Amino acid sequence: MLLLYHCHSYKNLFYDGVIISELWTLLSDYERKVFLIANCFSGVDTVSILFGKGKRAMLELFCSNNEVRDVIVPAFLNPNTNVNRIDELGLRLMCIIYGKSLNPN
């Protein structure tokens, strides 16, 4: 994931016979913007496989869910967002990802 994110610095970087920078061009501008956030919430491949929330599924959620796209992502990308707000929105995002509620009752 980080190799893909930083591929613009290495134009001729190959992995398993694929030019990494070409993969980056397949992502939309928005997907590129949220790439690292999505990676943080999907975790490493061994974790994402166990919980069925891989990198692609995470990017799709970030693009399709209005609350994630319009409220959570802008707050995460804003360096002036209060830490408590980031914490609150991080919990909300986890609930959205795994289909749970903050209030189980």
Side-chain angles (χ1 to χ4, degrees), residues 8-75:
H8 62 276
S9 301
Y10 307 96
K11 299 294 182 208
N12 296 317
L13 189 60
F14 289 84
Y15 178 77
D16 201 23
V18 175
I19 300 173
I20 300 298
S21 59
E22 289 181 9
L23 292 175
W24 188 249
T25 64
L26 297 175
L27 298 174
S28 71
D29 289 340
Y30 179 76
E31 288 174 321
R32 288 184 203 131
K33 186 189 305 185
V34 301
F35 192 80
L36 290 180
I37 300 169
N39 183 55
C40 289
F41 280 88
S42 65
V44 295
D45 291 340
T46 52
V47 172
S48 62
I49 289 295
L50 290 174
F51 293 100
K53 304 293 179 183
K55 308 294 189 246
R56 185 79 231 159
M58 198 65 58
L59 281 175
E60 288 171 4
L61 172 77
F62 273 59
C63 292
S64 65
N65 184 289
N66 292 339
E67 183 179 358
V68 172
R69 187 182 60 245
D70 300 336
V71 178
I72 297 173
V73 166

